[in-house]
Amino acid sequence: MNRAPRPDLLIAYLAAAAVAAHILEAAIPAPGPWFKIGLANMFTLVAFFHLGWSAAALVSLMRVMAGSLLLGTFLSPTFFLSLSGAIGAVLVMGLVPLLPFRVGPVGVSILASLTHMVCQVVVAWWLIIGHDGIFLALPWFLIGSWFTGLLNGLLAYLILTRLAAHQSMNLQW
Amino acid sequence: MNFFRLLRKATQPGDRWLMALSALLLIGYAGFGAGQRGTLVTIHRDNQPLNRLALAEDSSLLVAGRLGSVTVEVKGGRARLLEYDSPRMIGTRTGWIEKAGEIAVCVPCGILIQIQGEEANPTSSKLNSHGLDGIAR
């Protein structure tokens, strides 16, 4: 999997891009903290397919930490929502290679996106809302995250094809 | 058009199976959640269960809220909350609720009503018999 001679640099660049996407997206008005496209997650996907699972986990966790520090939500309920979703999604990514068939960025993205939503709603129920009524809305949230997962998967695919095309550059800095 | 060409290029059979399967499961899940009708409406005041009404028979119940009285009305298998002294009337504007799990809340009054599904309450008749409804009716 380790095709780049300096994977640490690529991880840092991907994490920086993810933090930037995270903060840009926070500027887009949304009806609630869990109705986001999650554009930052496409960089996690790129890390997963280009460098492997541990790189994806690093990019994802660094994005949540740095993003929340910059937005001032560190250790707030929003942060825990974000963190739970990120951890859940990364764990599911780790299970994907165990599947009996090969799955590309789109499939992984949809799986991770659905997991992200389930984790967030469970944590929101636990920390913030505390009312079972929230689970009534879960299927509709999940339908939304299916589509955002598809979008992020396609974007990650586009980035990955370009990364592969530039492999001759060998990513040396 | 371009989008579908990209989608075909970006996915392998495994991706397509996952997409189809997850979409089907989600549609089933959403349909199942939407289909469950309730049998009872429970009334809570300040998070404490106060009373229940069966949805099968039309009735209405006056409940003492923090801001004055609130009416819970049951009609045709649905329930609603009618407030009179709430500043924004959010509970009333929720309108009729009928599916298991749905709620209408008046936060300033401290009153919440929720529809319960089939299996929820074997004790409903017992609670109904010593609840507030005898006084309030």
Side-chain angles (χ1 to χ4, degrees):
Chain A
M1 275 300 225
N2 263 353
R3 273 174 276 157
R6 290 290 307 274
D8 53 338
L9 286 177
L10 191 52
I11 289 172
Y13 282 134
L14 286 172
V19 170
H22 185 90
I23 286 167
L24 274 179
E25 222 183 334
I28 302 173
W34 55 81
F35 292 93
K36 296 204 301 187
I37 311 171
L39 286 174
N41 296 314
M42 75 174 128
F43 298 106
T44 313
L45 283 167
V46 171
F48 179 68
F49 280 95
H50 201 74
L51 299 167
W53 182 79
S54 43
L58 276 174
V59 168
S60 185
L61 290 179
M62 284 198 281
R63 190 262 300 172
V64 172
M65 295 293 168
S68 67
L69 279 174
L70 287 169
L71 290 173
T73 58
F74 186 60
L75 297 184
S76 75
T78 318
F79 166 77
F80 287 110
L81 288 184
S82 192
L83 183 67
S84 66
I87 290 175
V90 163
L91 288 180
V92 162
M93 277 185 189
L95 296 178
V96 162
L98 305 179
L99 287 175
F101 45 84
R102 285 195 52 184
V103 185
V106 175
V108 173
S109 180
I110 289 176
L111 278 182
S113 171
L114 295 177
T115 318
H116 200 282
M117 182 57 79
V118 171
C119 291
Q120 281 193 329
V121 168
V122 169
V123 170
W125 168 75
W126 188 43
L127 283 183
I128 307 172
I129 297 179
H131 194 278
D132 297 345
I134 190 174
F135 290 109
L136 213 66
L138 183 58
W140 309 106
F141 290 165
L142 283 175
I143 287 171
S145 54
W146 191 89
F147 284 103
T148 58
L150 175 65
L151 177 69
N152 280 318
L154 289 175
L155 290 170
Y157 167 80
L158 291 176
I159 299 177
L160 282 164
T161 50
R162 276 157 187 71
L163 265 180
H166 288 278
Q167 202 63 74
S168 54
M169 285 165 61
N170 241 349
L171 300 167
Q172 264 173 341
W173 293 285
Chain B
M1 228 34 187
N2 217 343
F3 175 77
F4 289 108
R5 210 181 313 142
L6 170 65
L7 190 60
R8 210 169 56 215
K9 230 173 71 183
T11 51
Q12 307 166 4
D15 291 310
R16 290 174 206 161
W17 275 112
L18 270 181
M19 285 170 70
L21 190 69
S22 55
L24 276 177
L25 283 176
L26 277 183
I27 291 166
Y29 180 29
F32 176 76
Q36 265 195 322
R37 292 191 62 127
T39 54
L40 280 175
V41 55
T42 52
I43 303 157
H44 301 255
R45 175 171 175 185
D46 298 329
N47 287 328
Q48 300 299 317
L50 196 65
N51 206 342
R52 303 152 192 255
L53 297 174
L55 289 179
E57 49 189 286
D58 296 356
S59 59
S60 76
L61 178 66
L62 211 59
V63 182
R66 264 189 254 147
L67 294 182
S69 57
V70 175
T71 302
V72 179
E73 190 180 1
V74 175
K75 203 172 181 184
R78 304 180 299 170
R80 67 174 170 179
L81 192 61
L82 295 172
E83 313 134 76
Y84 304 108
D85 301 306
S86 155
R88 272 177 282 178
M89 310 288 283
I90 301 238
T92 303
R93 283 157 64 182
T94 307
W96 293 102
I97 56 176
E98 57 183 327
K99 287 168 201 150
E102 277 189 309
I103 58 172
V105 197
C106 173
V107 174
C109 326
I111 301 287
L112 177 150
I113 65 172
Q114 181 174 34
I115 306 289
Q116 304 292 335
E118 300 287 339
E119 75 290 343
N121 295 294
T123 55
S124 60
S125 53
K126 201 174 75 188
L127 257 171
N128 239 344
S129 63
H130 67 67
L132 261 188
D133 56 347
I135 304 162
R137 269 180 195 154

